[in-house]
Every structure is written in C-alpha cells, then in structure tokens.
Amino acid sequence: MILKEGQIIDNRWHVVYLIKESPYAESYRVEDESGNPYYMKIYRLKNTPEKLITDGQVNEIAMCRIVNHKNIISYIADGTYNDDAGECRYLVANYFSGELLSEMLQREGKLDKETAVKIFLEMLQGLQYLHEMPGVLLHNDINPTNVMLSSKTGGTAELIDMGHISNCFMGNAPFDTADLDPRYASGQSLMGKYDERNDIFAATGVFYAMLTGHAPWDVEFTPEMTRKEKIKLVQKARSKQGEINVDEFEDEKIKKVLTNGLALGYNDRYGSVVELLSDLIEDDDSEIAQEVRAKLASRQEEDDLDDGSTFDEPFNWERPGSASKQATETSVDVEVKRGGGNGFADIAGMDELKEMLRKRVILILQDKELAEKYKLTPPNGMLLYGPPGCGKSFFAEKFAEETGFNFILVKASDLGSIYIHGSQGKIADLFKKAEENAPSVLCFDEFDAFVPSRSGDLGSNQAGEVNEFLTQLNNCSKRGIFVIATSNRPDKVDPAVLRTGRIDKQVYVPMPDETARKLMFELYLKDRPCEGIDSEALAKKADGYVASDIAYVVNEAATIAAFNHETITQELLIKTIEGIKPSISKDLLKEYENMRESMEGISRTNALPHVGFNTTQKK
C-alpha cells in the first residue's frame, strides 16, 4: 500500500481506509479536518504506464481539473506525495455518497420507464457537457457501475470513475482497457476507434439495461473470463442476433432511441447527444424533459445568431430559478404516492409503535362497522420527534403503505413563495389536494420549520402561515387526512399545534437498541451479494449508530465490493464501521433525552408513553 490508515497527507487529508488497488494506482476514502468524506486516487509515477502521463502530468488528474458539472463527480484538489519508493500524484474528488446504478438494478431487476428516462437524461447532460468541452472529452467507460445516484442530491445521476477520460483518437488507447466492460462498448471502440458515438452507444446500453434488467444482447460474463474472451462473446452475440431487438417495447419513442443509439453500423448511430435528446424528450412533459427542451431551444437560438464559428463553451444545464413563476401562483407541486409497498415489514424494530398504531389508528380505519358501532374517530395526527437519522420520515411512508393510504411528503421548500401570502395559499391548496386524494397521509418533514412558535420574533407573513396551518389541521381526519409530522426540534413547534383535534399524539423515536440494529443490518443487506455475515456482531460494533448511519455503512461497503467485483464480507463491514463515526454524539443524545423529558411532562389528556425499539418476539 502507498498510504497507511490514519496517515495525514499535506496536513489536510486523513486516510481512513483503502478502497481499491492496481499495480500503479490506489483509491482511498479520506476525510478533511472537519471529518467530511472524500475520495482519493493516488498514482505511483514510476509504476504508471507512460500512456497515462502527458508532459509529466497524470492525464486523469489534468482533465478532472477542468471538468465541473452537476452530473459528473466533482474535482476537489490534487497534489504530490513522496515516500521512500518515489514520487506520487493524487486526486481528491467528492466521495461516492449514494447508490451505484448497478446496485439498484441488482436489487430491482429493472426500472420503470419514468425512472429510467430520468436517470438517462441526467447521464446525457453530463455526457453533453464533456462532448462540448474544447477539444471534445470522452468518458469511455460508461456502464451501470460507473453511474452513481447521489444521496446528496436526492438520487441525481452522476458519471463517476474518470480514469479513462480522453480526447477522440484512433489506435492504441491512452488508458488501461483491461477493466472496460465490452457489453457497453461499440464495435468500433473494440477495434480502437473512440469518439462521441461510442459514449452514446454505451449510455444507450445502460438505458436498455435499466428498462430490461440485463445488458444489451443479454450477454453475461463469468468471473474467470479474460477481456479477450468477453469481447469474443459480445461479438458473437451481436453477429448472431443482429441489431438490438426492441419488439418488447410498446413506446415507439423508446424503440427509436434504442434502435438508433445501439445501432451496430457506425453511420446508423446518433452522431451527437443533442440528436438523441431531441428524440428522447419528444412529447415528454416531465419537469426534467421540459428543462432540457428549453435549453435545446435556447442553444438553437444562439446558433442561429452565431457567425458560423464552432460552439466550444461548456453547455449550461443548470436548473432555472423559481423567480419565473407567475405572481398568481398559489398551487403546490407535490407528489402523491399511491398504495402498494410492504408497509411495516420494511421497518426494523419499532414494534411497540407499530402495535399501538394498529390498535389505535389502523383498526379504526380498516373496520368501518366497528368504528361506527363504538362511535370511534381516528386521531388527527401524530408528531414523531427525536434524534436525526432514526427513520421518522421513513416510518411515515411505511405507515401509509400499511394502511393503504395515499402518501404525500412535504418539505418546507414546497410551500415557499416569493409573493405576499403566497405560502398561505399553498398550505390551503395542499390540504385540498390531500382531501381530493383521501384517504391520505400528509407527512411534514422537519415540522418546526412549518409552524415555528409565534412567541418568537416572527414576521406577520410567517405568523399568518402558522394560523393557516392551525385552521387546516382542525379535525382534518374528518376529511380523510392523517397528518404525521417529524421534527428534531419539537420544542420549536408552536404549542397550539400540539393539542387534541390537531396533532393528537407525540411519540419519541429513540436511538435503535442492539436488537433493532441487528434487524437493520439484515434488512439493508438483504438481496445483496454477501458472505459470512454475523449481524449480531455488527450490531454490537455499531453501538451508538442510528438507522441512517447503518444504511450508510452498508452502502459504503457495497460500493467498495462492487468496485472490486467482490462479495460483501463481515471483515469489510467491520472495517467500514470503524471508518465512519456515529452521526449523533453523546452530548447531543443527552440533549434529546432532556428534550424528551420536557415533552413528556406536558399535561395532555391523550398522552402516550414514549415508544422504543423493543423487538422481542413473544413465544
């Protein structure tokens, strides 16, 4: 190993653990002075092939310096490191925070059309940016393993692994081709011709895999195959089957995109990302398609005014601001998730809370005759509060699935408005939509941001918004609406909200105990390639970790295993736990316990005991 765990590079980068190694380069998870995670790739120059270096600079590092786009992994820094074995050059980028597309496909099998199109459009935006850089930059290694669905941006697709980036060329590749996946490579690239059409072929192949659950031409490799054997298998399948079969698709637009994007003939394939985008967004009214359509139209206007010179500025794909909204807008744009799902079966622990809701809420909702006989009415709403990362919002969604209710998740930004009283109109519209889709669960994430205490220094507009909430919450259960509010700071919520007829119940969601942590590891590791996992030992090791921490640990380990094409092992998980600090400190946890005592001290006729993670099975 070039670096050691715990080593500090340039007084800034703390080495946490090794991710991957090759004869000339190694990848690490590192942290800065504040504990923020980053990805570091370091090259030992004396071992690095000459074709990967130009004028003393490592090609990957030099090219990553000039790349800056929301759908491409972000460059942070680079530098030089020297040890007894010689000079090294390193690159630091944003850490892979999220899920690899390959992991999603392994878990889901295939994706619905809307999700696949969204991810494909985001990939193409990053690809378009590269192709329109001065001199044209190619990714050259687009496949499901190199598409990250970033958790930092809500699942936005990012192209990662820039180790094969280059300009167009014909002949010997200026990078190592041993780890390229031939299933997503055009026939021309397999013969040494790399240009924009090869990137487009690969990206379309990933789109095909999202829609079908398998690689184009349904070719599968075994671990022991050499690259030459893999290429032969791909070429044989394409020669035997001919052009990609699109008969299984009903959507004519999808058929056209797949046919032209995966055409075996070089001149039959899309020549640019713009051509592909134009076909893909045709008659598509989704938000992202509308944005792409507007950008393409703006680009065309610029080209019409141009004097004939080539377009060599990076294409700006940034989302338009909200200031373009019409002044009369009071409607709220939220997604209504309808039915389906596994309900409480997807939740590890919280058995007491599940049982309480089954008896006090779900029974009343599902047995209308019993409710009418005893003149029972369901509660209006429930506040879930406690430390962050314990699964409060996730529980709300699973409650909706358990009851069969429609589910609407609302964040403070959804109700924001640049107009006087605009937010009040959006609040009214939100409850109207919930009633129109009744029975429904309205989940307000970080509820204290919606209804801050009016005893503080609130402006008249914000106080008016709190009053509007109070009005809409009054007995909303009679309109088929059940409200679940989540908060890390319930002490900041206006007290008038927390009374019967509005938010009836207050439930403390604590840190998961050892049994719950064990169940969480089992749940998050389910259907992933694992070997020799001891969930009890992992639960003991992860003492003090909340649900989001455990999910992050499992995803980190899965990412490392995927990069190395290995199974997830106990050793890897333990090492990952040791490299990730719990997100809740002991001091912060003590503050929450004090907050719980204060909240439970409130005199309420419908007060409930706090709910924990008791997962003991009754015999």
Side-chain angles (χ1 to χ4, degrees):
M1 289 174 55
I2 300 175
L3 305 178
K4 298 179 180 178
E5 294 181 10
Q7 187 174 350
I8 299 178
I9 307 300
D10 285 348
N11 297 316
R12 181 181 180 186
W13 307 110
H14 175 264
V15 178
V16 181
Y17 54 73
L18 176 72
I19 297 176
K20 186 178 181 180
E21 59 184 329
S22 74
Y24 57 85
E26 296 176 358
S27 300
Y28 295 85
R29 174 193 165 109
V30 300
E31 293 179 351
D32 63 9
E33 305 95 321
S34 301
N36 299 312
Y38 292 93
Y39 170 82
M40 175 183 284
K41 186 172 184 178
I42 186 166
Y43 288 82
R44 189 175 294 285
L45 293 187
K46 72 174 185 179
N47 296 340
T48 303
E50 292 184 4
K51 62 182 178 181
L52 303 185
I53 299 176
T54 302
D55 297 329
Q57 295 287 323
V58 177
N59 296 341
E60 179 181 7
I61 297 176
M63 290 189 175
C64 282
R65 285 194 197 114
I66 63 175
V67 173
N68 180 23
H69 192 273
K70 65 179 181 179
N71 296 116
I72 300 174
I73 187 172
S74 300
Y75 164 91
I76 300 297
D78 66 87
T80 301
Y81 168 76
N82 292 282
D83 61 9
D84 295 338
E87 184 178 0
C88 302
R89 300 283 171 81
Y90 68 80
L91 164 72
V92 178
N94 276 340
Y95 198 70
F96 306 135
S97 176
E99 181 179 40
L100 295 176
L101 178 58
S102 57
E103 293 178 318
M104 176 182 280
L105 291 176
Q106 185 176 30
R107 184 183 69 250
E108 302 290 342
K110 62 181 179 180
L111 308 182
D112 61 83
K113 185 180 73 173
E114 289 74 17
T115 302
V117 169
K118 175 184 177 294
I119 294 173
F120 190 31
L121 280 171
E122 290 169 346
M123 291 169 54
L124 292 174
Q125 291 180 46
L127 201 55
Q128 175 74 5
Y129 172 85
L130 289 177
H131 290 182
E132 292 188 343
M133 291 287 285
V136 181
L137 292 182
L138 309 174
H139 186 279
N140 293 320
D141 191 20
I142 297 175
N143 64 71
T145 303
N146 286 338
V147 178
M148 173 66 69
L149 306 176
S150 177
S151 62
K152 293 183 178 179
T153 51
T156 298
E158 295 178 5
L159 301 178
I160 63 174
D161 194 349
M162 308 300 284
H164 302 85
I165 197 169
S166 74
N167 302 116
C168 299
F169 68 91
M170 178 68 185
N172 293 326
F175 48 76
D176 188 2
T177 61
D179 59 342
L180 295 180
D181 191 338
R183 293 174 295 186
Y184 299 93
S186 68
Q188 291 73 33
S189 70
L190 294 176
M191 294 184 288
K193 180 179 177 62
Y194 288 79
D195 62 7
E196 300 99 311
R197 294 177 191 242
N198 181 58
D199 272 353
I200 293 171
F201 182 98
T204 309
V206 173
F207 182 44
Y208 180 89
M210 287 191 282
L211 293 170
T212 64
H214 58 78
W217 289 275
D218 204 11
V219 176
E220 293 293 334
F221 299 148
T222 59
E224 62 272 13
M225 279 186 176
T226 64
R227 173 169 167 77
K228 185 178 292 186
E229 290 172 336
K230 292 177 181 178
I231 290 175
K232 285 184 177 180
L233 184 61
V234 169
Q235 291 174 329
K236 181 179 179 180
R238 292 176 183 173
S239 176
K240 182 178 180 180
Q241 299 173 29
E243 297 290 344
I244 194 72
N245 185 1
V246 297
D247 292 342
E248 68 180 282
F249 303 100
E250 296 181 359
D251 190 322
E252 293 299 322
K253 179 180 65 176
I254 298 297
K255 287 184 178 182
K256 182 178 181 181
V257 168
L258 293 175
T259 299
N260 293 345
L262 290 171
L264 296 178
Y266 180 81
N267 293 321
D268 297 327
R269 203 174 308 138
Y270 286 117
S272 70
V273 175
V274 171
E275 292 179 22
L276 196 164
L277 283 171
S278 297
D279 284 345
L280 185 62
I281 64 176
E282 183 180 359
D283 299 324
D284 188 343
D285 292 326
S286 66
E287 181 183 354
I288 190 171
Q290 291 181 44
E291 292 171 6
V292 171
R293 189 178 292 111
K295 290 297 181 182
L296 290 179
S298 176
R299 158 86 183 273
Q300 185 60 51
E301 290 178 4
E302 292 175 4
D303 287 351
D304 290 343
L305 295 173
D306 195 81
D307 59 3
S309 58
T310 57
F311 181 82
D312 60 3
E313 290 294 322
F315 197 38
N316 180 16
W317 290 95
E318 293 303 317
R319 293 178 179 269
S322 59
S324 63
K325 300 287 186 181
Q326 295 298 315
T328 58
E329 179 187 2
T330 57
S331 63
V332 60
D333 183 19
V334 289
E335 179 186 0
V336 180
K337 184 176 179 182
R338 303 187 183 279
N342 299 320
F344 286 165
D346 285 342
I347 301 176
M350 294 188 176
D351 287 0
E352 187 178 346
L353 176 55
K354 296 176 192 174
E355 188 63 22
M356 181 272 289
L357 289 175
R358 287 191 180 103
K359 292 179 179 179
R360 303 286 294 273
V361 179
I362 298 175
L363 175 64
I364 300 173
L365 297 173
Q366 293 181 341
D367 194 334
K368 301 294 184 181
E369 292 183 3
L370 182 68
E372 184 176 349
K373 178 179 179 180
Y374 287 90
K375 299 187 183 303
L376 300 175
T377 57
N380 232 37
M382 172 173 61
L383 173 68
L384 301 178
Y385 71 97
C390 290
K392 297 183 286 293
S393 298
F394 180 71
F395 183 91
E397 181 178 356
K398 294 304 165 181
F399 171 85
E401 292 178 0
E402 187 76 13
T403 59
F405 278 24
N406 294 321
F407 179 74
I408 303 174
L409 176 64
V410 189
K411 298 183 179 180
S413 58
D414 294 327
L415 301 182
S417 177
I418 62 175
Y419 309 108
I420 297 175
H421 306 308
S423 292
Q424 288 175 242
K426 285 192 170 186
I427 294 167
D429 185 65
L430 174 67
F431 277 83
K432 179 181 178 183
K433 286 187 176 179
E435 185 175 4
E436 290 172 349
N437 290 278
S440 60
V441 170
L442 260 181
C443 177
F444 293 97
D445 194 27
E446 303 298 339
F447 195 48
D448 47 286
F450 293 93
V451 286
S453 176
R454 288 167 294 175
S455 63
D457 185 20
L458 288 187
S460 59
N461 286 345
Q462 197 168 11
E465 293 164 15
V466 175
N467 290 333
E468 182 66 31
F469 257 109
L470 295 177
T471 301
Q472 295 295 337
L473 284 169
N474 281 332
N475 299 313
C476 63
S477 63
K478 294 181 180 179
R479 298 151 61 190
I481 303 170
F482 185 75
V483 174
I484 298 182
T486 72
S487 178
N488 301 327
R489 293 302 307 268
D491 54 321
K492 301 294 183 181
V493 174
D494 192 283
V497 176
L498 304 178
R499 72 156 177 81
T500 52
R502 290 176 181 152
I503 302 297
D504 304 283
K505 304 181 185 300
Q506 299 175 11
V507 180
Y508 180 73
V509 181
M511 300 274 286
D513 60 17
E514 186 175 314
T515 304
R517 295 195 301 273
K518 173 181 178 295
L519 293 174
M520 287 176 186
F521 274 108
E522 292 172 354
L523 184 65
Y524 296 141
L525 287 167
K526 184 179 179 181
D527 297 327
R528 298 185 192 244
C530 300
E531 181 181 358
I533 302 300
D534 183 348
S535 57
E536 290 188 5
L538 292 174
K540 288 184 172 63
K541 187 71 175 178
D543 184 25
Y545 289 64
V546 295
S548 60
D549 293 335
I550 294 173
Y552 188 77
V553 164
V554 172
N555 194 64
E556 288 282 289
T559 300
I560 295 170
F563 272 17
N564 293 313
H565 300 284
E566 299 172 347
T567 56
I568 304 169
T569 63
Q570 183 81 357
E571 181 183 3
L572 176 57
L573 286 163
I574 292 292
K575 194 171 184 179
T576 306
I577 293 172
E578 292 173 346
I580 297 174
K581 301 175 183 177
S583 57
I584 306 296
S585 67
K586 292 183 178 179
D587 290 340
L588 184 59
L589 180 59
K590 186 176 181 180
E591 289 183 21
Y592 275 103
E593 291 294 335
N594 293 335
M595 187 185 301
R596 177 185 123 198
E597 292 178 6
S598 175
M599 294 294 293
E600 291 184 350
I602 297 175
S603 177
R604 294 169 53 98
T605 58
N606 60 338
L608 291 171
H610 76 275
V611 177
F613 284 85
N614 181 12
T615 57
T616 304
Q617 300 296 320
K618 295 181 180 180
K619 297 182 180 179

